[in-house]
Amino acid sequence: MAAFDFSAFLLGVTVLFGVVWLIDILFLAKPRRARAEAAGTEIAEPWPVDWARSLFPVILVVLILRSFVAEPFRIPSGSMMPTLDVGDFILVNKFSYGLRMPAFNNKLVANGEPRRGDVVVFRFPGYRCPDGNGHVVRSGDMTCQDPTMPVPSENWIKRVIGVPGDRIETRGSDLFINGERVAMDELGPYKGDPKQPEDSLLMNYGSKLYTEHLGSVNHTIALTPAYNMPMDIPNAVVPSEVPKGCYIVMGDNRMNSTDSRWWGCMPEENLVGKAFFVWLAWRGFDNGVTGIFDFSRMGKVIH
């Protein structure tokens, strides 16, 4: 999920307003009152101080809620269909895996780790590319032609498939965890809105829906072999065994998801939180099936 780094902006504005208000309290307010009393006029606060005093508490509360409680995100692509659709607005629990510093994302308080089946939001780590000197680096270039390309500041969402120590293998549509094939039950062909590009793609290529039994989590995935067949695991950039401090993540739209099969494991320090709720489902104005909003998805618990 590509996004402007609002957390960094919010942190910066909070610090700025707090500093302005504090400087005024410590150094400027008392002389200003004295001048006003001497002149027999009302105290007139400069507009920066008035804004800082009024907005600092509000922005601080918003920063705390977004950083430590829940943060909203919008789904921009179909990689998590059918679980999450383009235009879904979700809430992410920021406390599920510990408290992290706003903007910097370093962990302050530990509170559990992701489990298989969790739907997680994370900062995109970049593609693993050889740098030409015998090392592997993270790059924003999917082709690895430019290993020095900066990794874009984006938030992505996928499902945790493998946790540290797991042995993950994929063979076409089949997924194996620690040597055992993950069971699936066929539900039937994908049916959606032909006016929506992502729905149309799945239907045109004969996508089928399955219930995947990922441990204790049962969820729906879409398989579309006629459209694309991603690289198997293990491959040149993804070993079979998940290393410590990393997770293998995949989209529920298995044949149309750029995920760990392409760029390797997702580092633990990149975690943002656990997705848990769809609070709004926007479908646009040109939608004859569900209308502007898809009320059937609003209020859905993500699992």
Side-chain angles (χ1 to χ4, degrees):
M1 291 183 292
F4 161 70
D5 196 344
F6 187 70
S7 295
F9 170 78
L10 197 62
L11 177 62
V13 172
T14 304
V15 171
L16 176 63
F17 283 175
V19 169
V20 170
W21 193 15
L22 182 62
I23 290 175
D24 184 70
I25 291 174
L26 296 177
F27 304 108
L28 305 178
K30 187 174 180 180
R32 188 167 60 247
R33 283 195 298 268
R35 289 195 300 270
E37 291 174 0
T41 59
E42 294 185 359
I43 301 174
E45 288 187 341
W47 68 264
V49 175
D50 185 41
W51 276 42
R53 180 176 55 82
S54 302
L55 296 178
F56 174 75
V58 177
I59 296 178
L60 179 62
V61 170
V62 173
L63 177 67
I64 292 173
L65 290 176
R66 282 178 57 97
S67 301
F68 304 127
V69 181
E71 183 173 358
F73 289 93
R74 179 182 180 276
I75 303 300
S77 75
S79 71
M80 280 298 292
M81 293 173 67
T83 303
L84 296 170
D85 210 340
V86 178
D88 283 352
F89 288 78
I90 65 171
L91 289 178
V92 174
N93 186 338
K94 302 297 290 288
F95 189 63
S96 294
Y97 310 126
L99 297 181
R100 295 179 181 270
M101 177 69 73
F104 299 99
N105 211 44
N106 52 304
K107 185 178 288 188
L108 301 175
V109 178
N111 184 40
E113 302 295 340
R115 297 179 295 179
R116 287 192 215 102
D118 285 0
V119 177
V120 297
V121 171
F122 55 93
R123 295 184 177 184
F124 176 53
Y127 301 98
R128 298 185 72 229
C129 299
D131 65 355
N133 297 314
H135 303 97
V136 175
V137 297
R138 293 284 187 174
S139 168
D141 183 5
M142 185 176 187
T143 68
C144 288
Q145 293 181 2
D146 182 7
T148 63
M149 180 181 291
V151 177
S153 178
E154 297 177 342
N155 289 314
W156 286 30
I157 183 168
K158 304 292 179 186
R159 188 179 298 276
V160 175
I161 301 298
V163 299
D166 281 346
R167 287 181 293 106
I168 304 297
E169 294 181 43
T170 59
R171 303 171 194 166
S173 301
D174 292 330
L175 170 65
F176 296 82
I177 300 178
N178 297 324
E180 296 187 6
R181 181 181 179 274
V182 175
M184 298 186 298
D185 300 323
E186 184 175 337
L187 298 175
Y190 179 86
K191 297 179 181 180
D193 181 359
K195 290 186 177 182
Q196 298 298 321
E198 293 78 12
D199 287 6
S200 177
L201 185 150
L202 291 177
M203 290 186 290
N204 289 341
Y205 282 91
S207 180
K208 290 185 178 180
L209 298 181
Y210 295 80
T211 297
E212 183 176 70
H213 304 286
L214 198 59
S216 62
V217 178
N218 301 318
H219 62 101
T220 306
I221 64 173
L223 296 181
T224 320
Y227 174 69
N228 181 39
M229 189 61 69
M231 294 185 296
D232 285 340
I233 296 177
N235 58 54
V237 296
V238 190
S240 175
E241 185 168 338
V242 185
K244 183 178 180 180
C246 259
Y247 299 87
I248 293 295
V249 296
M250 297 182 189
D252 288 346
N253 190 355
R254 287 290 161 82
M255 275 63 182
N256 192 16
S257 171
T258 304
D259 48 41
S260 284
R261 291 168 290 183
W262 300 94
W263 42 259
C265 68
M266 183 270 296
E268 189 274 338
E269 59 264 25
N270 287 49
L271 277 170
V272 172
K274 180 181 179 181
F276 70 96
F277 188 72
V278 177
W279 63 274
L280 180 67
W282 169 267
R283 295 297 174 261
F285 294 100
D286 185 22
N287 191 328
V289 176
T290 60
I292 298 175
F293 300 103
D294 186 351
F295 291 100
S296 67
R297 297 183 62 83
M298 293 162 62
K300 173 185 175 181
V301 177
I302 300 171
H303 56 79

